[in-house]
Amino acid sequence: MAAPQEFVVDTVFGRLAGLRNGRSHAPKLLALHGWLDNAASYAPMAPWLDGYDLVAPDLPGHGASAHLPAAAEYTLIAGARAALAVADALGWERFHLLGHSLGGATASVLAAAVPQRVDKLLLIEALGSLSEPEERVGTRLREAFAGMAAAGAKQLRVFDDIATAIKARMMANDLSEPAARLLVERGVAPVRGDSGAAGFVWRSDPRLTLTSAQRMSEGQMRSLIRAIDSPTCMIWADPAQSYMPDALRRERAGLLRNGELHTRAGTHHLHMEQPAVVGELFRGFLAG
């Protein structure tokens, strides 16, 4: 297995960093991580994708990548454009696309937007993104603008050591210690507090936790899913997340022109906790 290597590319979204497995002459596979995760999300599954040029960028505002300017917003469209900017910077004309959670929602948008660029689509705990009724538009806008106005007053949480940050991440996402450690070690930066004591803070942009100003309706989301031409393989954890019940994810999957849905017992970070299960499934799908 090729060892992962750090890479950076300069884009209109700033300098984007990530991990690449060094197989530059193999078929291309772009892997997008979930919300507040980073490129290390795919480290456990990488051995099963060793036959591909696996590139996992830190999306804008995550990991070692640049934060967006204060006037810009973190949206699915911006994330999809940033992912495409990475592929463009690497000189990739066509590629397979992999995404987990928010990364899967971003991959769904990208596959619908540029079908001529995406060969096969691999999704973990995602197909499209969260939706909500149109009647929520005004309320969401007010909540988002209020959050933006108050964002500057928020204080970064400082952890005394890596172990404390790992425990916090384990509790927040029902992660095992090894999985949380991978994300935390790439996701924190050292700092010194006012007292001079050393500590660690999250490197991710705090604005990522703000309420989004806009969310698609379910009708719009279904139209987006129908626009995906790429053969698609998705895997979902069982039991389903409350925000994406099993009936809804199956209804959405049925809209794909060429899609297959699999469920496996596990949690939201299925690809980190059970990498062999997900890796074998995707390797077979890509080969087929």
Side-chain angles (χ1 to χ4, degrees):
M1 179 184 68
Q5 304 169 357
E6 291 280 345
F7 79 92
V8 295
V9 291
D10 290 312
T11 74
V12 294
F13 294 89
R15 177 159 290 187
L16 302 181
L19 296 173
R20 188 176 190 179
N21 69 352
R23 298 291 301 274
S24 58
H25 298 295
K28 313 306 180 187
L29 176 56
L30 187 66
L32 309 180
H33 61 77
W35 180 57
L36 299 181
D37 289 351
N38 52 60
S41 174
Y42 290 105
M45 201 172 71
W48 286 270
L49 301 173
D50 196 44
Y52 297 86
D53 183 5
L54 178 62
V55 168
D58 295 324
L59 292 170
H62 294 79
S65 285
H67 296 186
L68 293 181
E73 294 183 41
Y74 291 97
T75 66
L76 283 178
I77 304 301
R81 290 182 56 229
L84 190 61
V86 172
D88 288 342
L90 296 173
W92 291 5
E93 182 58 33
R94 294 185 64 87
F95 49 90
H96 301 303
L97 187 57
L98 164 62
H100 165 247
S101 193
L102 177 66
T106 304
S108 300
V109 170
L110 184 54
V114 288
Q116 73 279 11
R117 303 283 299 272
V118 179
D119 285 323
K120 291 186 177 181
L121 179 62
L122 313 171
L123 300 173
I124 306 160
E125 286 276 278
L127 176 57
S129 67
L130 298 178
S131 65
E132 68 181 14
E134 295 171 1
E135 293 75 18
R136 276 270 305 159
V137 168
T139 301
R140 173 165 288 279
L141 281 172
R142 291 169 186 171
E143 292 172 350
F145 272 62
M148 292 173 198
K154 286 188 175 181
Q155 297 293 317
L156 290 177
R157 181 179 179 183
V158 179
F159 297 96
D160 292 336
D161 49 43
I162 293 286
T164 305
I166 291 171
K167 288 179 181 177
R169 192 61 203 265
M170 290 171 65
M171 292 178 63
N173 295 112
D174 193 20
L175 285 170
S176 66
E177 194 277 345
R181 179 176 292 277
L182 281 170
L183 296 175
V184 168
E185 288 182 344
R186 186 171 183 84
V188 297
V191 294
R192 287 201 174 273
D194 295 336
S195 65
F200 297 88
V201 295
W202 301 120
R203 287 204 282 185
S204 54
D205 191 333
R207 292 182 295 149
L208 289 166
T209 63
L210 297 178
T211 299
S212 353
Q214 189 174 36
R215 188 172 281 177
M216 289 187 188
S217 68
E218 184 60 22
Q220 289 174 309
M221 189 53 59
R222 293 183 182 221
S223 180
L224 182 149
I225 292 168
R226 290 190 189 98
I228 296 174
D229 291 336
S230 308
T232 302
C233 180
M234 70 198 81
I235 185 166
W236 297 86
D238 185 26
Q241 299 287 329
S242 60
Y243 53 78
M244 188 64 68
D246 188 61
L248 177 58
R249 60 195 191 185
R250 291 185 182 278
E251 287 172 11
R252 286 190 177 187
L255 302 174
L256 292 166
R257 301 181 188 185
N258 185 357
E260 57 184 68
L261 181 151
H262 304 264
T263 60
R264 297 290 187 274
T267 56
H268 187 57
H269 285 74
L270 193 65
H271 61 306
M272 298 190 76
E273 304 291 9
Q274 300 182 57
V277 170
V278 183
E280 288 288 355
L281 175 66
F282 284 170
R283 182 163 62 180
F285 180 76
L286 288 170

